[in-house]
Amino acid sequence: MKFFPIDQRKSIVFNFRIFLLNLLFLLIPLIVSAQEIGLFQQFNGRYDFTAIGNTLNKGDNICDVLTESSANLALNPTQTLLSANLYWAGPGGGDSAFPADNDVTLNGNPVTAERTFLTNFNGRRFFGAYADVTNIVNIEGNGLFTFSDLDLPAIFPGSIYCDTETDFGGWAIIVVYEDPALDLNQISLFDGLDYVSSTNTTLEIILGPLNVTSDNLAKIGFLAWEGDASLANGESLTINGTLIDNPPLNPGNNQFNGTNSYTNSTVLYNMDLDVYDLTGLVFPGDNEITINLTSNQDLVLIHNVITSVNSELPDATISFEEIEFICDDIIELEYTVSNINSTGSLPSGTPIAFYADGVLIGQSQTNTTLPIDGSEIGNITLNITTGSLPDPFIFLAVVDDDGTGTSTVSETNEDNNEYQQSINLAAVTVSLDLGPDILIANNNAICEGDNRVLSIVSLTPSGANGSNSSYQWFLNGTIIPGETNDQLTVNQTGTYLLEVTYEGCVVTDNILVEFAPTPIAVVPNPLVVCDQVPNDGFADFNLTDADVQIINGQPNTFVTYHISEPDADAGINPLTSPYTNVDPSTQIVFARLEETVLGCFDVVELELQVDAAPAITD
């Protein structure tokens, strides 16, 4: 069984100068502590890993480094590169005297660190760096890879690192590849920068979360710095409680000894790149691996750990197109459930829950068994009460959720089941308002014989009105042919509905319109008065004498009189009694009978007649 050794502190040289230097560094406050090893990337499928790399040290602790070094990558024809991860490290970092170098070169390509690591051991700082070099390795393909431009001139020679034999420099590329002939595996890459040493003699690393179906071809790889072949004082590596003893490269009392078990090299000075078999060390159902390191003298820095275990689990994810419109508090949603980063099928019937502002508003489930890399599209209609939601609010879709936040399916990753959108209601809610009903009871009805134009009181969003939308009017549920504008002239009682279609969103509103009965004015008998002396055809009339006949007992009505019919229709310029006719002998005036609630009216003619007085013969 194999595991990856760590660079540890070198043998202590007990001379006075070193003692003073160590004492000085111990008195300096520690700026950076160790960075714990944690999960960085996880791949699920027919995958495996390998690693290449090399030291920059010319020998074991001779305090001299190369300007570059190389290593060979040789993937088989059936193996397809998935991910290439470059790590490099050295002494320094954290101050101007010994800076970290985050810019290096790989096969002539400039590479800048995307993630950096720092640790501090008794005042001596060490840095690590990471960059994704998948594109470079894809272009270069198999062959020699040369790493250069790691600048360590301030470290070598004659520094505290040389004096304490903690000088090192090197690089490695952790390669994840796909091969159709492989089992379904879970590849997990963990990294950080942590250590064991004479002052920190034990280190525990817990790797997880993992999913172990079996130990078939399971393995674990390490990248470590500063391990010495000549130091084996209390050094051990155990995995899940079992001591790793893999001589001759990695004996049980000195695993971190400057070796590369990928290539069987024993001259990887001050660096370890090792891989170990996990058969018999992991078991079905395991979700983590516990690693324990000890060292009473050698400083060993762990930079990354990578594991491969047989795994057969799905990984449910969900996504949906951005919600652009909400029509009448209804969301028509199309969503996609996928099983991409998985090592097993996602069962049919996996539950799906939908939430608005944290409140469950709908549920669904998958309809088919989704294979690895499979997906299916689903549709659901969701009703929400927009009036009770904050603006904006979070709309959330969760796969593998039974509606109570509980998962029902074991997955490779339980933290990627959600997809959400922040929704601004004012921007997406499509709503239509034709205003209040027009009713007799509301005293806003329309008088019989009149017309009324119905129009949109409000239509949101603002862009929904005009040429962006289409319109159709209905009366009592029946389409009104040809009425496809945003206004409608009505003249009869009924329920009118307008349907607006905007960007595929259909909204409606209806309005009940009532026509109030109009009072019927009775045509009155002419008002007749005798002419006054002299017989000139003019006389005074009490117009109200015709009121009773015109009203004819109709309640809540009154009569006004006007000189012209337009005035009577408009209800303006009423005449007062007594009224003197302006046309001699006979004149027509117009009586307006109006009800007092809605102002409905009827107009009739009233004849004014002046009878001539008889002539007396003298």
Side-chain angles (χ1 to χ4, degrees):
M1 296 172 227
K2 307 171 186 179
F3 197 88
F4 192 65
I6 334 167
D7 289 322
Q8 296 173 314
R9 190 178 172 194
K10 308 302 177 178
S11 57
I12 302 174
V13 180
F14 288 103
N15 60 51
F16 185 68
R17 188 167 73 90
I18 301 303
F19 173 75
L20 289 179
L21 286 172
N22 281 336
L23 180 61
L24 175 63
F25 279 110
L26 285 171
L27 294 176
I28 299 174
L30 299 186
I31 297 175
V32 183
S33 61
Q35 291 183 251
E36 292 184 356
I37 304 298
L39 180 63
F40 171 50
Q41 291 180 335
Q42 199 166 66
F43 308 89
N44 294 277
R46 300 189 185 280
Y47 303 142
D48 201 350
F49 70 85
T50 187
I52 66 170
N54 208 342
T55 181
L56 293 174
N57 288 50
K58 294 182 178 179
D60 190 10
N61 293 320
I62 65 173
C63 209
D64 192 9
V65 292
L66 300 166
T67 59
E68 65 181 32
S69 65
S70 303
N72 190 63
L73 176 65
L75 293 180
N76 295 330
T78 60
Q79 297 170 346
T80 303
L81 178 71
L82 180 66
S83 176
N85 307 275
L86 174 64
Y87 290 86
W88 65 95
D95 59 33
S96 58
F98 303 115
D101 188 358
N102 296 325
D103 296 290
V104 295
T105 302
L106 182 66
N107 276 17
N109 300 285
V111 176
T112 298
E114 299 170 19
R115 299 166 64 239
T116 59
F117 313 87
L118 289 173
T119 192
N120 190 312
F121 167 64
N122 288 355
R124 277 158 290 175
R125 300 176 181 86
F126 302 92
F127 77 90
Y130 163 85
D132 185 339
V133 292
T134 306
N135 288 338
I136 295 175
V137 177
N138 258 327
I139 293 172
E140 298 287 336
N142 282 339
L144 199 65
F145 283 83
T146 299
F147 176 90
S148 57
D149 294 332
L150 178 59
D151 188 14
L152 300 174
I155 308 299
F156 310 108
S159 70
I160 180 64
Y161 300 101
C162 292
D163 293 337
T164 56
E165 297 185 0
T166 54
D167 51 292
F168 70 92
W171 62 280
I173 300 176
I174 310 301
V175 173
V176 180
Y177 61 86
E178 182 178 18
D179 190 331
L182 292 171
D183 290 338
L184 294 171
N185 295 321
Q186 182 179 74
I187 311 298
S188 304
L189 177 59
F190 305 82
D191 61 17
L193 197 60
D194 213 341
Y195 68 90
V196 288
S197 69
S198 59
T199 59
N200 183 47
T201 58
T202 63
L203 173 64
E204 182 173 85
I205 301 173
I206 297 178
L207 306 178
L210 305 174
N211 172 256
V212 179
T213 301
S214 75
D215 63 354
N216 183 37
L217 299 180
K219 62 182 182 178
I220 188 168
F222 292 83
L223 171 62
W225 308 107
E226 225 335 85
D228 289 311
S230 60
L231 295 180
N233 183 359
E235 187 172 316
S236 69
L237 165 65
T238 61
I239 299 178
N240 285 346
T242 299
L243 177 68
I244 303 303
D245 186 15
N246 189 37
L249 285 181
N250 303 111
N253 65 342
N254 193 12
Q255 292 91 348
F256 306 105
N257 53 2
T259 57
N260 183 342
S261 59
Y262 290 92
T263 63
N264 293 321
S265 171
T266 59
V267 291
L268 199 68
Y269 304 118
N270 303 108
M271 171 181 174
D272 283 87
L273 191 59
D274 292 319
V275 62
Y276 300 101
D277 185 2
L278 289 178
T279 302
L281 299 183
V282 294
F283 302 95
D286 284 356
N287 56 22
E288 63 185 27
I289 296 173
T290 300
I291 297 171
N292 292 98
L293 309 172
T294 66
S295 175
N296 294 334
Q297 184 175 358
D298 200 6
L299 170 66
V300 179
L301 295 159
I302 299 293
H303 202 163
N304 68 50
V305 183
I306 186 167
T307 62
S308 174
V309 296
N310 186 246
S311 173
E312 295 182 8
L313 283 181
D315 182 35
T317 59
I318 190 169
S319 63
F320 55 82
E321 293 294 328
E322 182 175 348
I323 297 171
E324 296 182 349
F325 304 108
I326 299 176
C327 314
D328 284 338
D329 284 357
I330 293 175
I331 296 176
E332 298 288 348
L333 186 71
E334 181 177 279
Y335 59 88
T336 301
V337 175
S338 301
N339 185 32
I340 304 298
N341 190 30
S342 63
T343 56
S345 298
L346 181 69
S348 175
T350 299
I352 306 168
F354 302 91
Y355 299 87
D357 192 39
V359 177
L360 182 68
I361 59 171
Q363 292 178 274
S364 184
Q365 63 182 24
T366 57
N367 297 314
T368 60
T369 298
L370 298 183
I372 297 172
D373 293 335
S375 62
E376 74 171 31
I377 295 175
N379 294 276
I380 191 171
T381 299
L382 300 168
N383 294 284
I384 64 173
T385 306
T386 54
S388 64
L389 292 172
D391 192 8
F393 75 95
I394 298 298
F395 176 82
L396 179 68
V398 188
V399 64
D400 191 19
D401 180 350
D402 65 359
T404 67
T406 303
S407 170
T408 63
V409 179
S410 295
E411 302 179 58
T412 60
N413 186 352
E414 297 285 358
D415 298 323
N416 62 349
N417 297 127
E418 299 182 357
Y419 193 85
Q420 69 178 32
Q421 178 186 350
S422 178
I423 296 180
N424 187 329
L425 286 171
V428 304
T429 302
V430 183
S431 62
L432 171 66
D433 183 14
L434 295 177
D437 291 336
I438 301 173
L439 305 175
I440 295 174
N442 293 345
N443 296 331
N444 65 343
I446 305 170
C447 301
E448 287 181 349
D450 288 350
N451 295 331
R452 175 67 64 86
V453 176
L454 302 181
S455 60
I456 297 170
V457 174
S458 68
L459 177 61
T460 58
S462 58
N465 208 352
S467 59
N468 294 325
S469 298
S470 61
Y471 309 91
Q472 180 61 60
W473 288 92
F474 296 79
L475 173 58
N476 296 330
T478 301
I479 194 170
I480 305 176
E483 295 297 344
T484 56
N485 295 314
D486 59 354
Q487 295 184 336
L488 177 68
T489 300
V490 299
N491 55 19
Q492 60 177 308
T493 295
T495 298
Y496 293 86
L497 180 142
L498 175 60
E499 179 183 271
V500 179
T501 302
Y502 170 64
E503 296 288 349
C505 183
V506 179
V507 291
T508 62
D509 191 31
N510 57 55
I511 183 171
L512 175 58
V513 179
E514 290 183 343
F515 283 80
T518 299
I520 300 175
V522 175
V523 178
N525 296 326
L527 294 182
V528 181
V529 296
C530 292
D531 199 354
Q532 300 171 357
V533 178
N535 283 333
D536 57 2
F538 297 97
D540 293 334
F541 291 86
N542 186 5
L543 299 177
T544 59
D545 288 347
D547 284 2
V548 173
Q549 190 175 6
I550 294 172
I551 292 174
N552 193 30
Q554 298 174 81
N556 301 319
T557 57
F558 64 94
V559 181
T560 57
Y561 299 90
H562 306 265
I563 198 169
S564 67
E565 188 171 10
D567 280 2
D569 288 337
I572 60 174
N573 303 320
L575 302 176
T576 60
S577 295
Y579 170 74
T580 301
N581 58 303
V582 295
D583 295 329
S585 302
T586 301
Q587 180 182 340
I588 300 297
V589 295
F590 297 88
R592 173 188 172 102
L593 176 63
E594 181 177 340
E595 55 90 23
T596 59
V597 178
L598 299 174
C600 300
F601 67 93
D602 191 19
V603 175
V604 293
E605 295 181 354
L606 170 62
E607 182 181 352
L608 305 181
Q609 180 179 330
V610 180
D611 285 350
I616 300 174
T617 302
D618 190 8

